[in-house]
Amino acid sequence: MTENGQYNIANCSWGDHLVFGEGDGLLRSVESLERRMDVWREELGADTVHWRQGRTGHDDVYQAARGYGGKKRQLYPPITWDDFEVVPRLAKERGMRAYAYVSLLDQGHPLAPKAEREVSHHNPYHGKNFARMSRLIKEHPEYNLQDREGNNHWGVVCLAYPEVREYMIERYLSVVDGYEWDGVFVCLRTQSRPADYADQYGFNEPIRQEFERRYGRDILHQEFDPQEWRDLQGSHLTTFFRELREALRKRGMSLAVGCARGDVIGPPIGNATLEWRKWLSEGIVDELVIDQSSVQCPSLWIQLWPMHRGHGYRQNYVDGWGLLPLEEDLSQNYGPVVEDVNADLYVAWQWKERDAEFESVVASHSEVRGLTYSTFRHDNPGPIARGNWWV
């Protein structure tokens, strides 16, 4: 907790504000941002802002179904000020920290055929007739996680490739260098279509070769220990964070990571192991935000890919399968680790109804530094009441 009693995180998806907000909640001017940052500090008790930005996607490839291209181009208003200069400056003026929010496993997908989109889509409001994907996976589709037949889990990159880790780190550094960010927040949420079953993907050639070297089994053609395979996948995520942390340390910046609660990455990706204990105990991450969710939008709570949920998860935050209740999990699993390390733990609250009493109970756990809140939900009661993305 900071000296002035503030300890929470204001999680701001700027694009949602710009298009679907109301009044100052549109965040289209520096003055409106100043006023809302004062509100986040006072009403949300925030001493940190996670600013979800769009610069890491400047070279993304967009596709729109026939008749929708013009509407897509009209959504975002022209902005004449530099948010990367303004946000850290305004935060510092208020005694707050500012982190650039980036997404690692959300590299997008190609536009599906019309017949498929009618029954299978991200959501009916803004994810049915538009698609985007990063230049990386457009040019190298093999860098997506793949199943045994070589089919891609579009948007979920395979970190066993050194080239992928190097590309993502360079991409992040290219947009924060030259600015006064306090750190980078790497979110493991994804908007990719869920796997049909939890152990469907993770058979890329580097994983296959490494597994055979370690255990003498060919995962494409032989039976193997699935937990050893899940752990191997998780180790590559740890390697990525270790490499990114080193690059950020040279710049005097912190690394924060947001993920699901528990020991697996969870829906919609799979059962790959989350080595969060190692991240904390080895000082790989400075801050960890748990209880994140990929199954619904944190701004309007619209369900994402509702017709696809998948099965076979060892732990599933959607229904609580394999997980302790939050308070027990904090006391029994996270607490003993956090109390022995120099890192901070936060609990994501963007997907929970506001409940002052329960929030106070969770925040009172000695291992919890604070909670994270959605600024869109706090700033825009009109769109929240309507419950959809119509503009």
Side-chain angles (χ1 to χ4, degrees):
M1 183 178 298
T2 59
E3 292 180 1
N4 60 3
Q6 298 168 335
Y7 50 87
N8 297 323
I9 295 173
N11 194 298
C12 181
S13 182
W14 192 35
D16 290 353
H17 281 268
L18 286 174
V19 178
F20 307 110
E22 59 185 0
D24 273 353
L26 285 163
L27 299 186
R28 293 185 180 179
S29 70
V30 175
E31 294 74 21
S32 65
L33 176 59
E34 288 183 289
R35 290 189 288 270
R36 296 319 296 174
M37 287 184 73
D38 287 337
V39 169
W40 304 341
R41 185 167 60 101
E42 297 303 322
E43 297 183 7
L44 294 179
D47 74 337
T48 303
V49 175
H50 285 173
W51 186 257
R52 189 178 184 188
Q53 46 69 53
R55 298 194 187 191
T56 50
H58 73 277
D59 62 346
D60 286 356
V61 178
Y62 288 86
Q63 293 177 284
R66 184 183 299 273
Y68 288 87
K71 182 178 180 181
K72 178 66 176 178
R73 286 192 296 271
Q74 295 169 8
L75 283 179
Y76 290 95
I79 299 295
T80 60
W81 47 279
D82 185 346
D83 60 311
F84 271 38
E85 183 279 322
V86 170
V87 173
R89 174 174 59 81
L90 295 183
K92 285 179 172 59
E93 290 174 358
R94 287 156 176 78
M96 304 170 73
R97 302 175 302 165
Y99 284 50
Y101 177 139
V102 298
S103 297
L104 175 61
L105 305 175
D106 196 19
Q107 301 304 304
H109 56 87
L111 187 68
K114 181 178 180 180
E116 181 179 342
R117 296 198 312 273
E118 289 300 316
V119 296
S120 173
H121 49 259
H122 177 245
N123 74 75
Y125 301 106
H126 74 304
K128 182 177 179 180
N129 296 304
F130 303 105
R132 54 155 281 275
M133 56 181 162
S134 69
R135 186 74 60 179
L136 175 70
I137 63 168
K138 177 176 174 55
E139 297 178 354
H140 296 279
E142 71 277 11
Y143 287 164
N144 292 285
L145 278 183
Q146 295 183 331
D147 65 14
R148 273 188 159 127
E149 286 70 45
N151 299 308
N152 293 319
H153 193 183
W154 283 101
V156 184
V157 290
C158 177
L159 295 168
Y161 294 98
E163 300 91 339
V164 172
R165 300 197 303 271
E166 180 180 358
Y167 175 88
M168 297 307 300
I169 291 172
E170 288 183 354
R171 196 179 199 194
Y172 297 161
L173 297 179
S174 71
V175 298
V176 299
D177 279 346
Y179 294 96
E180 299 299 321
W181 295 102
D182 294 289
V184 170
F185 171 64
V186 181
C187 180
L188 297 187
R189 291 180 57 241
T190 180
Q191 299 181 79
S192 294
R193 173 177 167 167
D196 293 329
Y197 54 94
D199 289 325
Q200 180 176 0
Y201 297 101
F203 293 88
N204 300 64
E205 189 61 23
I207 297 176
R208 176 191 181 189
Q209 292 180 10
E210 178 64 12
F211 194 92
E212 187 167 12
R213 186 188 68 79
R214 290 189 185 187
Y215 305 110
R217 310 293 292 178
D218 183 342
I219 59 176
L220 289 185
H221 304 292
Q222 296 176 289
E223 295 295 323
F224 61 91
D225 185 324
Q227 192 54 49
E228 291 176 340
W229 171 68
R230 297 162 185 155
D231 291 344
L232 177 59
Q233 293 183 70
S235 72
H236 293 301
L237 179 60
T238 298
T239 297
F240 171 79
F241 286 145
R242 188 179 285 116
E243 293 171 350
L244 176 59
R245 179 71 184 89
E246 185 61 28
L248 293 176
R249 182 179 285 119
K250 293 176 181 177
R251 291 161 171 79
M253 300 173 68
S254 299
L255 173 61
V257 171
C259 61
R261 182 160 55 92
D263 298 314
V264 304
I265 200 165
I269 299 174
N271 280 325
T273 301
L274 287 180
E275 297 183 322
W276 62 266
R277 294 173 180 82
K278 180 178 291 187
W279 304 345
L280 294 173
S281 63
E282 295 186 8
I284 297 172
V285 303
D286 300 294
E287 299 170 11
L288 182 66
V289 180
I290 61 170
D291 240 14
Q292 300 231 137
S293 171
S294 294
V295 300
Q296 67 183 34
C297 166
S299 293
L300 281 184
W301 290 6
I302 293 171
Q303 291 293 303
L304 308 181
W305 298 101
M307 66 294 293
H308 303 287
R309 282 293 184 254
H311 63 275
Y313 287 94
R314 294 178 54 244
Q315 293 176 323
N316 192 328
Y317 57 78
V318 178
D319 55 15
W321 172 258
L323 293 171
L324 292 173
L326 175 58
E327 287 191 79
E328 291 182 36
D329 215 358
L330 291 173
S331 298
Q332 297 183 30
N333 291 318
Y334 290 93
V337 176
V338 174
E339 67 181 7
D340 291 331
V341 301
N342 185 28
D344 291 319
L345 178 71
Y346 294 84
V347 177
W349 218 263
Q350 297 100 300
W351 296 272
K352 297 179 177 68
E353 293 286 358
R354 295 299 307 271
D355 182 332
E357 182 177 355
F358 186 39
E359 292 172 40
S360 178
V361 169
V362 172
S364 69
H365 282 255
S366 59
E367 63 272 18
V368 175
R369 185 179 188 272
L371 311 177
T372 68
Y373 295 111
S374 163
T375 61
F376 184 90
R377 294 191 67 81
H378 188 71
D379 293 353
N380 299 290
I384 297 300
R386 290 194 297 272
N388 63 45
W389 286 117
W390 297 127
V391 293

